[in-house]
Amino acid sequence: METKTIQFTAGRGPAECTWVVAKVLKTFLKKLEENKFDYMILQKENGNENGTVQSVTIQIEGKSLTSFLKEWLGTIQWIGTSTFRKHHKRKNWFIGCFELKMKNKITVDEKQIAFQAIRSSGPGGQHVNKVSSAVRAKHIPTGIQVLVSESRSQHQNKKIAIQWLKERVVASNIQQLQQSVQQEWENHLNIERGNPVQIFTGTDFKVQKQKKKNYKSKRNQLKNDLRRELN
């Protein structure tokens, strides 16, 4: 079982590129479901125009994931007329897809959480402050802490606190990913536009099948050319 984190980004491209990210995202998620991969969207930044996406970060888990992602990591091209500037002459638009690798990924080990019971406050007459049901939980490695008083049950508040801490740590991980994206930025600016891993065309966003080199047909063509020259 493999786990990968990738990001689709429009980079510094115009609105058309953010539209392409949104369309690619929809297609990509469908492919993940078809191939039975589990995924979670960690971060999604919408573009300035309705229905567009500036960037999206996805965590994926499954078998043969490296092989699957070979067809997606790199430059993705869309060939079509601008959806925002109909008279714009440009027909080729590019976005990037990168794998994000965290150097220091933080996980939440429940043994590293310190709990402190806090007396609940509020109305209740003579019964107020007699039961310590609220819980303060601190993730010792990061210092991240939460205060939970959602339930009258201290046990339930502990469970909620653990979940909240995990969410906060995930948010911290995403911040690290964003820093990683900045380091990958130069790669995006130097995209090999002549060598896209995927090509889509038109407003219906169809996949353009790329012709693979067929050496047999090339040899046959050379033979035919030679015969014509001899005749």
Side-chain angles (χ1 to χ4, degrees):
M1 193 73 70
E2 297 178 85
T3 301
K4 302 276 187 181
T5 302
I6 68 164
Q7 185 183 71
F8 291 100
T9 174
R12 297 181 186 174
E16 289 82 2
C17 293
T18 63
W19 181 85
V20 175
V21 172
K23 297 293 284 186
V24 168
L25 174 61
K26 185 177 179 180
T27 302
F28 182 74
L29 294 183
K30 185 177 179 181
K31 291 292 183 183
L32 289 181
E33 292 168 0
E34 289 175 357
N35 287 275
K36 310 297 183 185
F37 289 117
D38 294 324
Y39 69 88
M40 177 172 62
I41 294 178
L42 301 179
Q43 172 268 352
K44 184 179 177 185
E45 181 184 349
N46 293 328
N48 293 328
E49 301 289 341
N50 290 335
T52 65
V53 177
Q54 177 66 35
S55 67
V56 59
T57 305
I58 310 168
Q59 183 174 290
I60 313 165
E61 187 176 275
K63 295 180 179 178
S64 303
L65 186 53
T66 298
S67 177
F68 170 81
L69 288 176
K70 282 181 180 178
E71 296 183 359
W72 293 93
L73 293 173
T75 304
I76 297 173
Q77 179 182 8
W78 175 61
I79 303 172
T81 304
S82 169
T83 53
F84 305 103
R85 296 174 287 175
K86 301 213 176 191
H87 300 293
H88 198 284
K89 293 181 179 179
R90 181 173 167 183
K91 303 294 183 185
N92 295 290
W93 313 89
F94 300 89
I95 67 168
C97 178
F98 305 106
E99 181 180 353
L100 304 179
K101 296 180 180 179
M102 294 186 58
K103 295 180 180 178
N104 300 306
K105 185 175 180 180
I106 304 168
T107 57
V108 178
D109 185 344
E110 294 182 16
K111 294 179 181 179
Q112 296 178 316
I113 299 176
F115 295 98
Q116 180 185 1
I118 306 293
R119 292 187 182 276
S120 298
S121 60
Q126 61 181 349
H127 300 292
V128 73
N129 291 337
K130 287 192 176 180
V131 180
S132 301
S133 60
V135 171
R136 177 179 284 120
K138 181 179 180 180
H139 184 232
I140 297 172
T142 62
I144 297 172
Q145 57 183 333
V146 296
L147 176 62
V148 181
S149 58
E150 304 295 302
S151 171
R152 293 183 180 180
S153 164
Q154 187 178 99
H155 177 71
Q156 185 64 26
N157 282 335
K158 275 189 176 181
K159 289 177 67 175
I160 296 171
I162 292 170
Q163 182 59 37
W164 285 8
L165 277 179
K166 287 181 177 179
E167 291 173 358
R168 296 280 179 88
V169 170
V170 166
S172 176
N173 284 340
I174 291 174
Q175 287 183 350
Q176 288 192 39
L177 286 171
Q178 293 304 322
Q179 293 174 359
S180 175
V181 171
Q182 294 302 318
Q183 294 173 359
E184 296 284 347
W185 193 244
E186 288 302 317
N187 292 337
H188 182 69
L189 293 179
N190 297 317
I191 285 174
E192 294 182 19
R193 287 175 168 78
N195 189 30
V197 293
Q198 291 275 0
I199 301 175
F200 298 90
T201 61
T203 54
D204 52 358
F205 222 71
K206 288 185 177 179
V207 177
Q208 183 182 88
K209 292 183 179 179
Q210 301 185 56
K211 293 181 180 179
K212 295 183 179 179
K213 292 182 179 179
N214 188 325
Y215 294 102
K216 184 177 180 180
S217 62
K218 189 175 181 180
R219 285 198 303 270
N220 289 336
Q221 181 64 43
L222 289 172
K223 287 178 182 178
N224 291 333
D225 291 343
L226 181 60
R227 286 194 193 100
R228 279 194 291 269
E229 287 180 11
L230 292 174
N231 293 332

